[in-house]
Amino acid sequence: MDASQQGLKRDLRLRHMVMIAISGTIGTGLFLTSGKTIATAGPGGALLAYATIGFWLVFVCQAIGEIATLLPLPGAFNAWGGRIFDEAFSFQMTWMYFINWALTIPAELSASALIVSFWLGEDSKFPSWVVPVIIICIMVVINLVGVKAYGEIEYWFSILKVCTIIMFIICGILVDAGVIGNPKYKYGMEAWTVDGAPFKGGFMAFMRTLVSVGYAYGGTEMTGVTAAESRNPHKHVPKAVNTVLVRIAFFYITSIFLLGSIIKNDDPRLLNKDGTATGAPFTIVFAIAGINAAANYMNAVVFTSVFSAINSDFYVATRMLLSLSRNGWAHKSIGYTNSRGVPVFALAIVTACSCLSLITIFVGSGVVFNWFVSIIGSIIFQSWILILFLHFRFRYCWKKQGRPTADLPYVSWGYPYGNIIATIIGVFCIGATCYLSITDGRPGPKPDGSDPAAVVAWGKTRDAYAQNLLGAWFPWVMSACLFTGYKYIRGTTLIKAEDADLDTGRFIPTESDKADLEPHGPWWKRAIKFLI
């Protein structure tokens, strides 16, 4: 069943698709938590962590690009399992992906309250729940207007974020070379030679940063979800996924390299304990460059980034509920869409889930944000590794049915060797996360009440250990319950490769769509379009 039958509108243009791929990745993870990554693993360890996860993600996006171009389904990669492997697999994967975004919204809303507190001051009595409530109301209005409004907002917010990072990279290079700064000082690679650098804490410290780095990259796979509402998936999806490598190398790797070269890993400001833009590593570099309003500017950028991320979160979460309903895995009324193609009942449920952020009233924004990040980072890892598995299975089914690879509208590059290496990286990251959750930071016996400070410290250690344990294992325990429960109740069986449905829902391009695929314009315009 195609998108028009599903009630969705194909209103996303190429510029929307490309910028959505950017806006899903650049946010609080890079702007606020990258400094903690450098402080934990040193400049070399942080750079290696971002490069490792980035390599894995490139091939995840290639897998998404190949299948989503052929089958731009509302549930994206979550719907593929029911076609080529087992319906129970799709059931658990779609529910887990919905849970991921349903938790991401409260996490981002909690971050918004934290960010606004920077302008209010420490003594402010402004209620922390007001900002999340205002943002929730705005999100409901935007999503009720339709997918085109969502795409336009993402487009313009993404431009702001991209301009900020480009400005940072230019400033960072000039500061590092000693051209600008107060005082002017040629940093070079000095920060890579301080005590503990470049790989501070060794291999264990590197492993500890993987989940937070995964959180920073989370959302890149969103391109597969937007394919169902793209005007021309055969053109737009490959364009979006093929620019992922350039963006990872330019925005993430370059930024982390410059941060690690200018700010020493033992600088206490990198920990950014208050979670605001004042201690953000980007702010520190801008301040060194002599930009006096750096903190206010970065706080504004981070706030718009959070707003943009929440906009994307609402969009993806509602589409996952829509997919669940259309497949019979949630109540059929949730799949209702209005004349603008908006799943209104799904939007109401997502809005209710977003109200989880209001628990910041009781436990504080920072605590809520950290707990959610632990869970979200692990679910992201699970989704990526399962996408690679489905790509292997898809190719196997395609070959078994006697179809040549040349018949695919887009062929992922690097298959199968890139996918194999990416899978090994993924298994290592997931294994490291689960291992550290058990062995790292385990609290000892509870001290007696004679030393109140020791009791408080023990409580914080216990909470941190529980947070890591829950974050690492929750996705796998929950997935196992969903998969086995559905399989037992419905009695589903493994789909034979010869019987896999690789045709229903395929995008059939019109003659104008085919003409649009042909390269046109001068070579320099085509080069610029490829990069931006």
Side-chain angles (χ1 to χ4, degrees):
M1 191 178 291
D2 62 24
S4 61
Q5 292 172 303
Q6 294 285 349
L8 298 177
K9 302 292 184 182
R10 291 195 180 274
D11 283 339
L12 291 179
R13 298 178 179 271
L14 177 59
R15 62 186 179 90
H16 296 144
M17 294 284 289
V18 171
M19 283 302 184
I20 285 169
I22 297 176
S23 67
T25 58
I26 303 174
T28 54
L30 179 63
F31 288 136
L32 294 182
T33 65
S34 55
K36 189 176 181 180
T37 304
I38 296 171
T40 301
L47 191 65
L48 180 61
Y50 272 90
T52 301
I53 302 294
F55 183 91
W56 177 16
L57 185 54
V58 164
F59 288 98
V60 169
C61 289
Q62 284 295 306
I64 291 171
E66 181 172 293
I67 309 180
T69 303
L70 178 76
L71 299 169
L73 305 174
F77 39 83
N78 301 291
W80 301 339
R83 300 283 194 92
I84 61 179
F85 184 59
D86 190 316
E87 188 179 328
F89 192 85
S90 260
F91 173 79
Q92 69 85 17
M93 196 172 176
T94 309
W95 269 110
M96 287 305 299
Y97 201 63
F98 166 72
I99 291 171
N100 172 63
W101 292 104
L103 291 179
T104 301
I105 295 171
E108 298 286 5
L109 286 168
S110 299
S112 71
L114 206 61
I115 292 162
V116 170
S117 67
F118 165 77
W119 286 308
L120 298 174
E122 294 181 1
D123 299 328
S124 174
K125 295 183 179 179
F126 186 79
S128 61
W129 56 268
V130 172
V131 175
V133 168
I134 293 173
I135 293 177
I136 290 171
C137 294
I138 295 172
M139 287 300 127
V140 171
V141 173
I142 291 172
N143 279 268
L144 283 174
V145 173
V147 69
K148 193 171 183 180
Y150 156 73
E152 285 297 329
I153 289 172
E154 287 306 293
Y155 178 78
W156 292 108
F157 276 145
S158 293
I159 288 177
L160 174 63
K161 290 186 281 187
V162 169
C163 289
T164 299
I165 293 189
I166 291 173
M167 185 169 68
F168 163 77
I169 290 173
I170 293 171
C171 284
I173 292 171
L174 295 177
V175 168
D176 192 55
V179 177
I180 61 174
N182 187 22
K184 291 182 179 180
Y185 180 77
K186 187 175 181 180
Y187 290 87
M189 300 290 288
E190 183 180 297
W192 288 64
T193 61
V194 299
D195 186 36
F199 296 99
K200 181 181 178 181
F203 188 66
M204 295 296 288
F206 162 75
M207 291 198 298
R208 290 187 187 101
T209 64
L210 294 175
V211 170
S212 61
V213 172
Y215 175 78
Y217 276 128
T220 310
E221 74 287 344
M222 200 182 296
T223 306
V225 181
T226 58
E229 291 172 270
S230 164
R231 290 194 174 186
N232 188 351
H234 282 197
K235 178 182 179 181
H236 298 173
V237 175
K239 171 75 175 179
V241 299
N242 277 334
T243 51
V244 167
L245 177 60
V246 176
R247 293 190 182 96
I248 287 174
F250 185 72
F251 294 128
Y252 283 88
I253 306 300
T254 305
S255 296
I256 294 299
F257 174 76
L258 289 171
L259 288 172
S261 298
I262 296 171
I263 310 171
K264 296 178 180 179
N265 58 244
D266 56 359
D267 191 323
R269 293 177 296 177
L270 283 175
L271 296 174
N272 194 14
K273 292 182 179 180
D274 60 357
T276 66
T278 309
F282 283 72
T283 305
I284 297 170
V285 174
F286 279 135
I288 294 172
I291 302 176
N292 296 325
N296 281 293
Y297 173 75
M298 277 308 302
N299 209 56
V301 170
V302 172
F303 183 76
T304 56
S305 298
V306 169
F307 189 88
S308 167
I310 296 170
N311 188 31
S312 293
D313 300 344
F314 263 80
Y315 170 80
V316 178
T318 54
R319 270 53 183 182
M320 287 303 103
L321 277 178
L322 176 69
S323 177
L324 286 164
S325 174
R326 294 286 165 83
N327 283 290
W329 303 331
H331 196 277
K332 62 181 181 180
S333 63
I334 298 175
Y336 167 76
T337 55
N338 64 12
S339 58
R340 296 189 181 93
V342 178
V344 288
F345 292 125
L347 177 60
I349 293 172
V350 172
T351 303
C353 291
S354 67
C355 292
L356 283 172
S357 62
L358 301 183
I359 61 178
T360 58
I361 301 169
F362 307 105
V363 298
S365 305
V367 175
V368 174
F369 180 74
N370 290 331
W371 273 84
F372 282 145
V373 166
S374 296
I375 299 173
I376 294 164
S378 296
I379 297 179
I380 289 170
F381 279 1
Q382 183 191 67
S383 297
W384 291 351
I385 200 72
L386 294 182
I387 288 169
L388 289 174
F389 166 75
L390 287 174
H391 190 210
F392 282 120
R393 178 69 182 176
F394 168 79
R395 280 294 191 96
Y396 176 73
C397 294
W398 190 263
K399 184 178 179 180
K400 272 288 186 179
Q401 294 184 10
R403 308 185 189 213
T405 307
D407 285 355
L408 291 168
Y410 174 72
V411 179
S412 65
W413 42 266
Y415 184 90
Y417 304 109
N419 286 44
I420 293 171
I421 297 172
T423 301
I424 293 171
I425 292 173
V427 171
F428 164 76
C429 291
I430 293 168
T433 303
C434 293
Y435 171 76
L436 287 174
S437 70
I438 298 173
T439 62
D440 210 20
R442 182 181 297 178
K446 184 177 180 180
D448 56 38
S450 59
D451 187 356
V455 174
V456 171
W458 180 86
K460 290 181 178 179
T461 303
R462 177 203 57 196
D463 292 347
Y465 183 72
Q467 174 184 315
N468 293 333
L469 203 62
L470 177 66
W473 292 96
F474 170 78
W476 301 102
V477 174
M478 188 68 184
S479 290
C481 293
L482 289 171
F483 180 82
T484 55
Y486 188 86
K487 198 165 182 63
Y488 175 76
I489 294 170
R490 294 290 182 93
T492 61
T493 57
L494 177 68
I495 297 170
K496 294 181 179 179
E498 295 83 357
D499 300 330
D501 182 4
L502 304 177
D503 294 303
T504 304
R506 286 181 67 164
F507 174 72
I508 309 299
T510 62
E511 290 303 317
S512 61
D513 291 330
K514 293 177 182 177
D516 195 32
L517 293 173
E518 297 297 324
H520 53 274
W523 67 267
W524 57 271
K525 279 190 176 181
R526 296 201 301 271
I528 292 174
K529 285 181 180 179
F530 174 79
L531 293 174
I532 63 174

